[in-house]
Amino acid sequence: MYKREFILKNGELLLVREGIESDAEAAIAHLNTVGGESDFLTFGAEGLPGLTLESEREFLAARLRSEFSALLLCFVGGELACICNVDVPLNPRTHHNANIGISVKKRFWGIGVGTCAMEAMLDFIKNLGCVKYVRLDVYADNARAIRLYERFGFRKAGTLSEKFFVNGVYHDEITMELKLV
């Protein structure tokens, strides 16, 4: 099971570990919170469609059984501050790719949680030994996230026009990628 600790800019400890079934309720609460705090996610305050406590438990259990995917949870003072997805396809033709995603609670913005979470995801991926490219999708107007990804070496790979429709406004989506080898 992946586990790592970081010291944040404010001196607090950030614990990053793989999610387990008993984290389901906290994970759902986190997703519902961040969905209402930012328009830069694929869901809003209504949460993810069809997400139930049982489905989240099953999702977490499946992730733990997978050697190539993980749901990393980041805790500050025992509170779930961030959730990270790492997905590596099992298909031999695409197994050299990883896709990642991240959501950080607003009250933890600006203290290094996102940076530490990115470092943890990349560490997890590099330890797999099979990934050549790491990819992520981001709203084209999410400058703060784009700066974070660029600091890790991610570069723009393409754009999908008007991918999202939020509060009456269309937003483009950028795919960014990082070549590991």
Side-chain angles (χ1 to χ4, degrees):
M1 176 185 274
Y2 185 86
K3 183 178 177 182
R4 189 157 172 206
E5 294 180 346
F6 298 87
I7 301 297
L8 297 169
K9 291 177 187 178
N10 65 1
E12 289 188 89
L13 179 72
L14 176 75
L15 169 66
V16 180
R17 66 165 172 79
E18 286 186 77
I20 57 177
E21 287 179 67
S22 60
D23 292 318
E25 192 170 344
I28 291 171
H30 171 87
L31 294 170
N32 289 337
T33 298
V34 297
E37 293 178 333
S38 172
D39 288 335
F40 292 128
L41 298 171
T42 58
F43 57 93
E46 74 283 355
L48 292 166
L51 182 62
T52 66
L53 189 57
E54 186 55 36
S55 68
E56 186 66 7
R57 283 186 183 129
E58 290 171 9
F59 178 77
L60 287 162
R63 288 299 179 108
L64 275 176
R65 290 189 304 269
S66 173
E67 178 182 350
F68 297 106
S69 295
L71 190 71
L72 301 179
L73 305 182
C74 307
F75 295 90
V76 177
E79 181 179 348
L80 184 53
C82 173
I83 294 181
C84 307
N85 283 310
V86 176
D87 291 299
V88 177
L90 297 178
N91 181 331
R93 293 183 179 197
T94 59
H95 190 61
H96 61 286
N97 297 284
N99 295 298
I100 61 172
I102 182 172
S103 64
V104 180
K105 280 184 186 168
K106 192 171 188 174
R107 74 182 215 85
F108 294 103
W109 292 0
I111 61 170
V113 171
T115 298
C116 295
M118 287 294 296
E119 189 174 320
M121 284 189 288
L122 293 174
D123 181 51
F124 178 89
I125 290 165
K126 288 174 184 174
N127 285 329
L128 295 174
C130 62
V131 174
K132 185 174 181 177
Y133 287 95
V134 181
R135 294 190 174 92
L136 58 84
D137 298 317
V138 60
Y139 278 65
D141 48 346
N142 189 347
R144 183 183 195 136
I146 292 169
R147 280 193 308 274
L148 171 66
Y149 306 144
E150 287 175 340
R151 281 199 321 264
F152 279 89
F154 283 82
R155 297 291 172 245
K156 182 178 172 182
T159 302
L160 291 175
S161 299
E162 300 182 348
K163 170 80 181 274
F164 302 105
F165 186 69
V166 181
N167 298 324
V169 178
Y170 286 100
H171 300 267
D172 293 349
E173 179 183 66
I174 297 173
T175 295
M176 299 182 78
E177 66 183 10
L178 171 67
K179 186 174 182 180
L180 295 179
V181 276

